[in-house]
Amino acid sequence: MSFWVQKYGGTSVASTEKLLTVAERLHEQHSQGHRLVVVLSAMGGETDHLLSLARQVSSEPGGSALDLLLSSGERVSIALLALALQALGCPATALTGRQAGILTEGQANKARIKNIDNDRLNGLLDEGQVVVVAGFQGMDESGRVTTLGRGGSDTTAVALAASLGADECHIYTDVEGVYTADPRLVPEARRLEHLTYEEMLEMSGLGSKVLQLRSVLFAEKYNVPLRVLSAFGSGSGTLISKEAENMEQATIAGIAHNRDEAQLTISGVQDMPGVAARILGPIAEAQIEVDMIVQNVGQDGTADFTFTVHRNDYAKALEILEQVGGELGARETCGNRDIVKVSLVGVGMRSHAGIASRMFRALADAGVNISMISTSEIKISVVVGEPSLETCVQVLHKEFGLADARDA
Ligand code: ADP
Ligand code: ASP
Ligand code: MG
């Protein structure tokens, strides 16, 4: 008999019909003797709906009142699933994050799981119950309800799997697994049988929202085998685990894209020590995270400085930059929200030279202009204009033959 933590995303529990299908499946697995913890998201669209309500009453909703509001979506779905399981004759208990012993730390609306007190969960599992836990939420030291950031139910599931010692963590979603690129953007994208934690970390970190980044970090840290599968299909999905000894590594595992960034530029500043710190210091003090940074030095001894931030921070960052620009006597400060970051990811890239130039050539031939570049051992990212996104991803998918089987 196996012990699984299974997570069902919003689309998988979007209606009572879908919840009933999930309940039947769990009932069957429970009847076969499996030990089951089920983590649920709010019903599809519900978290967005709650957020839009908050925005109707406040221009900048945040803090613990927003946490309380957003956490209510998951309460509805877990209660409905427990009722559905009980109606099928399957013993089930629904627990909020707090009731499940999930203790968090850090900022409101993006709290991190610090510790899980398993006693109650283990007790219920030993009684033979299916335990249904609200994803995306916990409680901080002062007893306040917290939420874990968008997509946070993935992290709840992996953290529970690690803490309870489950055999595998299953993430059920609306696609059949992790693909070589977002299948909504590239119809020929291929499901991957297997990915290493390292590759999935990059894919998630670079924008593939199929798994929240923090969930992959937990899985790697505690060595939890993670499987992404379709909630209503029957395939084996994608297994994310440590690198197997005999694993044949393709050069490129996949392509990630991120639409959540914006680009800012300050040009014509003096090229001298301390200028980069003067520009980025106030941005950091405003708690704005900077991702890519590029500096170009012109022949006239002045420099242009370009960086990216989250789109939500764009207006604030631009305001700060305009002020700094004034102080530094910059020629111009400007920004662009309509950009995307597209990245090639693969541990096999380590041993292959020439990937970057092939990437740039393919994009140039397709008429795609690159405005920023950043590389690491296992990824190459470019920033391009948002209208080029589809072309960019599709051209690269083709150039690197990602539709052809990697494990063949
Ligand atoms: P859930 O509601 O189940 O948490 P999400 O919307 O968070 O589902 O994640 C699934 C979505 O992730 C897919 O519908 C797909 O559009 C998107 N996605 C982005 N990149 C990938 C990828 N490489 N492989 C699979 N899905 C991807
Ligand atoms: N319901 C939350 C969201 O939509 C958490 C999750 O689904 O993982 O982001
Ligand atoms: Mg998700």
Side-chain angles (χ1 to χ4, degrees):
M1 290 312 114
S2 301
F3 176 13
W4 296 318
V5 174
Q6 303 190 347
K7 176 252 170 178
Y8 291 84
T11 41
S12 317
V13 294
S15 62
T16 46
E17 287 78 25
K18 288 188 171 167
L19 265 167
L20 283 170
T21 310
V22 170
E24 275 158 21
R25 182 176 189 148
L26 291 166
H27 178 40
E28 195 183 320
Q29 291 173 345
H30 182 259
S31 313
Q32 291 161 358
H34 300 298
R35 200 172 161 95
L36 298 173
V37 172
V38 186
V39 173
L40 292 192
S41 288
M43 294 170 86
E46 187 54 27
T47 309
D48 287 334
H49 170 62
L50 293 169
L51 256 178
S52 80
L53 288 178
R55 291 198 180 112
Q56 286 167 36
V57 297
S58 161
S59 58
E60 267 188 68
S64 54
L66 182 66
D67 272 339
L68 195 59
L69 176 72
L70 296 186
S71 70
S72 67
E74 271 73 8
R75 282 189 172 227
V76 173
S77 55
I78 56 164
L80 286 173
L81 183 65
L83 287 169
L85 283 167
Q86 289 159 6
L88 291 171
C90 179
T93 301
L95 300 177
T96 63
R98 174 189 190 141
Q99 291 169 330
I102 299 174
L103 185 69
T104 66
E105 61 186 357
Q107 284 180 45
N109 318 141
K110 42 178 168 180
R112 294 182 308 270
I113 297 177
K114 184 181 178 193
N115 184 38
I116 301 179
D117 176 356
N118 290 326
D119 289 353
R120 186 161 182 185
L121 273 161
N122 277 327
L124 289 165
L125 288 168
D126 289 344
E127 281 172 23
Q129 302 254 350
V130 174
V131 186
V132 187
V133 180
F136 171 61
Q137 57 178 268
M139 175 191 77
D140 70 11
E141 250 156 8
S142 64
R144 269 193 291 261
V145 173
T146 53
T147 59
L148 309 178
R150 299 306 303 265
S153 300
D154 298 332
T155 302
T156 306
V158 180
L160 282 171
S163 164
L164 295 164
D167 300 317
E168 267 191 22
C169 181
H170 297 160
I171 305 285
Y172 286 98
T173 184
D174 59 354
V175 287
E176 302 267 335
V178 180
Y179 284 67
T180 47
D182 187 340
R184 291 182 205 291
L185 217 60
V186 184
E188 319 75 66
R190 188 172 45 82
R191 178 178 59 84
L192 295 160
E193 286 290 330
H194 186 235
L195 271 166
T196 63
Y197 291 126
E198 202 180 3
E199 285 171 328
M200 195 64 229
L201 279 175
E202 288 289 346
M203 293 282 284
S204 292
L206 293 166
S208 300
K209 288 190 178 141
V210 59
L211 286 174
Q212 198 196 35
L213 175 61
R214 199 163 284 279
S215 71
V216 192
L217 285 166
F218 263 108
E220 182 182 42
K221 182 163 175 197
Y222 298 104
N223 200 15
V224 179
L226 192 58
R227 197 178 282 280
V228 178
L229 317 120
S230 157
F232 304 108
S234 55
S236 58
T238 301
L239 177 68
I240 299 145
S241 66
K242 264 202 270 199
E243 200 164 332
E245 303 242 316
N246 57 358
M247 226 172 105
E248 189 57 39
Q249 285 301 339
T251 314
I252 312 289
I255 302 172
H257 70 271
N258 185 347
R259 283 190 173 102
D260 292 337
E261 292 190 18
Q263 177 179 296
L264 295 123
T265 301
I266 177 164
S267 43
V269 290
Q270 278 204 337
D271 178 29
M272 57 185 265
V275 168
R278 290 266 316 265
I279 295 168
L280 291 181
I283 300 279
E285 275 157 31
Q287 309 284 328
I288 297 174
E289 268 179 50
V290 171
D291 179 24
M292 288 164 89
I293 306 175
V294 171
Q295 186 184 238
N296 310 308
V297 177
Q299 288 195 335
D300 61 356
T302 66
D304 299 344
F305 204 84
T306 301
F307 58 95
T308 60
V309 298
H310 195 282
R311 267 189 211 182
N312 292 346
D313 294 325
Y314 173 73
K316 201 166 163 193
L318 190 57
E319 200 180 302
I320 295 172
L321 201 64
E322 274 164 358
Q323 196 180 336
V324 174
E327 288 161 20
L328 293 177
R331 190 169 52 238
E332 194 191 2
T333 51
C334 59
N336 183 2
R337 310 171 69 105
D338 300 325
I339 54 132
V340 287
K341 183 167 74 175
V342 176
S343 311
L344 292 179
V345 175
V347 295
M349 263 156 74
R350 281 197 182 112
S351 49
H352 286 74
I355 305 283
S357 58
R358 213 171 131 193
M359 178 183 193
F360 304 154
R361 169 58 41 214
L363 292 179
D365 289 348
V368 176
N369 187 44
I370 302 170
S371 67
M372 294 176 88
I373 299 168
S374 126
T375 64
S376 80
E377 252 197 329
I378 70 162
K379 69 119 207 276
I380 304 172
S381 302
V382 293
V383 170
V384 301
E386 183 153 6
S388 305
L389 172 62
E390 264 187 61
T391 313
C392 182
V393 179
Q394 284 171 1
V395 159
L396 295 176
H397 201 267
K398 196 154 181 220
E399 170 67 25
F400 290 97
L402 298 186
D404 313 324
R406 134 176 163 138
D407 304 300

